Amino acid sequence: HIHMRLTDTDGRSVMLDKDRKLSTDALRMIGGLMALAPAITAFGNTNPTSYFRLVPHQEAPTNVCWGDRNRSVLVRVPLGWTAERDMCAELNPGTISVDIDASHKQTVEIRSADCSADIYLLIAARYGFEHKESLEIAHKTYVDVNIHDSKNAERVKDLDSLPYSCEASAERLYDDRAIFEAKGVFAPALIDGMIAKLKSYDQTEAEAAKNDPAKMLEIVRRFFYCG
């Protein structure tokens, strides 16, 4: 998971307004993430193992939406930084409470990425500040319910979904490549390379492994490792 926050040229956070609510700039950033979320998987979920995780009704997000303290959404806004009390002291008996304003640490957390992510490409996003409808997108994609609960199925019906495979991720990146390449931020050759890499994996093998634990483990060992 990747936490992000916006700062001005002096390094001061601009995530919150004077009432400690998400600022217009923060909402624009979220709107941009919502608009490009499916394509961003090309940078944050870069091999077949990634898509064993991005399946419905688990901890990982599959629908394009955001919310407060909501672990069923794609982008979560942790509200602890705006609490007017020392939660650390409350959760740790014997700790002396400290009166400190931590609101400048406010972040938003995108929860789709995993350890296969290319972090430098994943966070190179500016779209929310250029898209005229970014605020509207942010408002439309906000949810305050657990979208994994069947009783909220009607709400999920209106939400876009993340890609279900490397190939599907490549297709979403291809569809949105002009946005990434605008102003020379992403080189066309880089986008071509990412698409080619994602499409190079055996999609049939990965799909079959979803119902074959032994094969799934073999793929995990092939692509995810430490050291």
Side-chain angles (χ1 to χ4, degrees):
H1 299 178
I2 307 297
H3 284 260
M4 300 179 237
R5 68 171 181 155
L6 293 168
T7 61
D8 62 20
T9 54
D10 294 321
R12 292 173 300 202
S13 174
V14 294
M15 293 295 293
L16 302 174
D17 60 23
K18 62 181 181 180
D19 297 319
R20 293 196 175 194
K21 303 295 184 181
L22 284 180
S23 66
T24 298
D25 283 340
L27 290 172
R28 286 187 183 279
M29 179 173 72
I30 292 171
L33 291 173
M34 296 291 98
L36 293 179
I40 287 173
T41 57
F43 309 124
N45 309 88
T46 65
N47 69 53
T49 308
S50 299
Y51 299 89
F52 295 152
R53 170 176 167 261
L54 297 180
V55 294
H57 308 298
Q58 292 194 30
E59 284 288 321
T62 54
N63 295 104
V64 179
C65 56
W66 69 281
D68 308 309
R69 294 177 296 187
N70 187 338
R71 295 189 180 276
S72 69
V73 297
L74 172 63
V75 170
R76 184 178 72 95
V77 182
L79 298 181
W81 299 121
T82 59
E84 296 183 0
R85 62 187 192 276
D86 187 345
M87 292 194 298
C88 181
E90 290 184 10
L91 295 173
N92 294 276
T95 302
I96 299 175
S97 180
V98 177
D99 184 14
I100 185 172
D101 180 6
S103 58
H104 65 283
K105 296 182 179 181
Q106 181 66 57
T107 63
V108 296
E109 173 196 23
I110 186 165
R111 304 178 59 250
S112 54
D114 57 42
C115 59
S116 73
D118 186 324
I119 184 65
Y120 301 104
L121 301 180
L122 181 67
I123 64 176
R126 67 184 194 288
Y127 191 52
F129 300 97
E130 299 175 352
H131 196 315
K132 294 181 180 179
E133 298 179 358
S134 59
L135 285 176
E136 182 180 350
I137 293 172
H139 289 305
K140 284 183 177 180
T141 53
Y142 176 81
V143 298
D144 57 0
V145 296
N146 180 356
I147 61 173
H148 297 322
D149 192 320
S150 59
K151 68 181 181 183
N152 298 317
E154 194 66 23
R155 182 68 183 94
V156 176
K157 186 175 66 175
D158 298 325
L159 300 172
D160 195 3
S161 298
L162 295 181
Y164 58 87
S165 68
C166 289
E167 185 173 15
S169 177
E171 291 170 356
R172 295 303 293 261
L173 178 60
Y174 179 83
D175 291 341
D176 288 337
R177 67 178 301 163
I179 297 171
F180 291 94
E181 294 172 11
K183 301 182 180 180
V185 176
F186 286 79
L190 185 151
I191 300 297
D192 287 338
M194 293 300 301
I195 290 174
K197 175 186 175 182
L198 289 164
K199 287 194 171 184
S200 70
Y201 296 116
D202 186 338
Q203 309 298 326
T204 303
E205 176 190 44
E207 189 63 29
K210 292 180 180 180
N211 297 313
D212 185 341
K215 184 62 177 177
M216 182 181 291
L217 180 59
E218 188 275 320
I219 293 176
V220 169
R221 286 173 171 166
R222 192 191 317 167
F223 292 111
F224 279 174
Y225 57 89
C226 298

